[in-house]
Amino acid sequence: MMKSSILGAALILAALPVSARDLRYSHGFAASSAVGEAAEEFAAAVAEKSAGAVTFRIFPMSLMTLIETGPGVRDGLADMGYVLAPYTPSDYPYYSFLHELSMSINLRPATGRESLAYAGAMMDYTFNNCPQCQADFAAQNQVYLSGATSSVYALLCNKPVVTPEDLKGKRIRAGSPSFSRLSDHFGANGIQMPANEVFEGLSQNVLDCAMLSAPELTTYSLKDVVTDITLGLPGGIYAGAAVGNMNLDTWRGLSDEDKAAVWWGANVLSADISWNYHAQDTENLTEARGRGIQIHQASDALIAEVRRYTAEDLERVVQIFTDSYGLQDGAAHKEAFLAVLEKWYGLVEGVNSREDLRALYWQQIYAKIDPATYAR
């Protein structure tokens, strides 16, 4: 967390006039998590940019659960929230579909920046190429302002899993259908469960493993119940987080100047969540080793089968979303999005810091859109 900017925000808040616009941002993570730290930086950025005219109170793990956030933002319980679209794909079929394509990262050599590229591509495509995504959010009385991603998913387990045979019969937490399908393919039982319930699931042996990124070892205290981590499986990224969805009525009620300040902050929120996950991934794996947690690499046979399965599933997912959620022109969306993603793999090559990522997202995405006319 950048203490100087947060202190600056606190000083601004203390001097606010009574007429200042005080808004609420809700997320279902600990205040010290990748999301929690980014939320504070977002609030500081908006307060500074608006000279205190717009402020955000942050509600971590208190106002609403992760599952409740979408309806809560819709109904105005919070002005802005961290909405996980894949939890209810029938409400957000197009954005959830883009998330389901994240397993495609398994088909290319690892660079360590896949998540940063995917976050940029999600926002780029949603803002500029997916009016259906925007319509889905509007139907929930929300406006999309920020997207972000986790780092690459691994298996966090209470027993070793290295080979395809090790997966058979395992009960594995999966956060979306794409991860559930992968579990089922290997003879495991994919259980869709909110991340904040995984600690209890692992500690009570309801789960054998969870498909999550390494920073959740700290976010949800999973380092206290995880004994083994397998890298290389499942791959993929949690990319379906609309991390800055705002109540549409609230957005339309802002002045053009206030919208510009929130828009500036939305870029910070997107970049900081994605960067925090990226940076904390290595930190958490290092800490896990120090705690005696065993770190395994998926076997060559397992990785090869994951890649083979991924190529097939990318074809399958179009039909699944067409049949289940009424997706139109799914094949065209898939090809267009993957082309945008390929562009972003190149754009993030020079990103080496949070500041680099903020600048890149601003230059390539936010600076090209006028918040005064967006979602008007």
Side-chain angles (χ1 to χ4, degrees):
M1 186 184 300
M2 296 182 181
K3 293 182 179 179
S4 60
S5 60
I6 294 173
L7 177 60
L11 293 174
I12 290 171
L13 287 173
L16 286 183
V18 175
S19 59
R21 190 70 182 266
D22 189 19
L23 304 177
R24 297 153 296 174
Y25 176 77
S26 175
H27 65 82
F29 299 82
S32 60
S33 67
V35 175
E37 293 183 1
E40 295 292 344
E41 291 295 329
F42 157 73
V46 174
E48 181 179 7
K49 193 70 172 178
S50 67
V54 183
T55 62
F56 276 88
R57 285 182 290 164
I58 308 300
F59 292 86
M61 298 182 72
S62 57
L63 193 59
M64 296 176 288
T65 66
L66 289 169
I67 291 177
E68 294 167 341
T69 305
V73 172
R74 179 195 65 203
D75 297 338
L77 183 59
D79 299 291
M80 181 183 281
Y82 190 105
V83 176
L84 292 169
Y87 279 11
T88 54
S90 59
D91 291 335
Y92 315 100
Y94 285 88
Y95 199 72
S96 298
F97 175 71
L98 301 181
H99 158 80
E100 291 286 295
L101 301 177
S102 78
M103 296 294 284
S104 65
I105 71 167
N106 288 323
L107 302 179
R108 58 180 289 119
T111 66
R113 293 184 173 86
E114 289 84 0
S115 60
L116 308 180
Y118 212 98
M122 287 288 288
M123 291 188 290
D124 192 344
Y125 195 81
T126 300
F127 282 131
N128 299 308
N129 302 94
C130 191
Q132 299 92 337
C133 298
Q134 301 278 5
D136 288 342
F137 290 129
Q140 298 299 316
N141 197 34
Q142 300 168 24
V143 57
Y144 176 82
L145 301 181
S146 299
T149 62
S150 70
S151 48
V152 177
Y153 266 28
L155 273 186
L156 312 183
C157 304
N158 54 26
K159 49 183 62 68
V161 175
V162 177
T163 69
E165 292 73 24
D166 292 337
L167 280 166
K168 292 180 180 177
K170 294 294 188 294
R171 296 158 298 177
I172 299 177
R173 180 268 178 181
S176 67
S178 60
F179 297 118
S180 291
R181 292 194 300 274
L182 180 64
S183 298
D184 294 343
H185 174 76
F186 283 100
N189 181 17
I191 301 171
Q192 292 201 40
M193 174 188 292
N196 55 355
E197 297 178 10
V198 170
F199 182 95
E200 184 176 1
L202 286 171
S203 63
Q204 296 185 3
N205 292 316
V206 173
L207 296 174
D208 299 304
C209 298
M211 292 177 173
L212 284 169
S213 58
E216 312 306 9
L217 290 166
T218 297
T219 300
Y220 297 113
S221 300
L222 299 183
K223 57 191 175 185
D224 295 329
V225 291
V226 166
T227 61
D228 294 83
I229 298 172
T230 304
L231 305 179
L233 180 76
I237 295 164
Y238 203 97
V243 302
N245 270 22
M246 178 172 271
N247 176 278
L248 186 56
D249 300 321
T250 300
W251 173 253
R252 289 175 173 169
L254 296 175
S255 68
D256 288 351
E257 293 77 12
D258 292 348
K259 286 179 179 177
V262 174
W263 193 249
W264 177 263
N267 177 70
V268 169
L269 186 65
S270 299
D272 281 24
I273 291 177
S274 298
W275 180 263
N276 287 350
Y277 268 105
H278 169 76
Q280 291 178 17
D281 197 81
T282 300
E283 294 170 6
N284 274 264
L285 289 175
T286 299
E287 182 181 353
R289 289 186 179 94
R291 294 173 65 94
I293 297 173
Q294 297 299 306
I295 310 295
H296 311 279
Q297 292 288 338
S299 68
D300 291 344
L302 183 51
I303 290 176
E305 183 58 20
V306 167
R307 288 175 176 165
R308 189 189 69 79
Y309 167 83
T310 296
E312 293 179 355
D313 194 62
L314 288 175
E315 300 299 322
R316 186 184 303 117
V317 69
V318 173
Q319 195 61 48
I320 290 172
F321 269 71
T322 299
D323 294 343
S324 299
Y325 307 115
L327 193 77
Q328 300 293 316
D329 299 322
H333 276 290
K334 184 188 80 169
E335 295 307 316
F337 174 76
L338 291 178
V340 171
L341 177 59
E342 192 63 32
K343 175 188 76 173
W344 274 90
Y345 283 133
L347 288 173
V348 299
E349 284 182 358
V351 171
N352 295 304
S353 69
R354 179 195 322 273
E355 290 70 28
D356 287 346
L357 194 61
R358 287 182 181 181
L360 179 65
Y361 287 171
W362 180 259
Q363 294 162 4
Q364 293 294 326
I365 301 171
Y366 284 92
K368 297 179 180 181
I369 299 171
D370 182 2
T373 59
Y374 178 67
R376 191 162 56 183

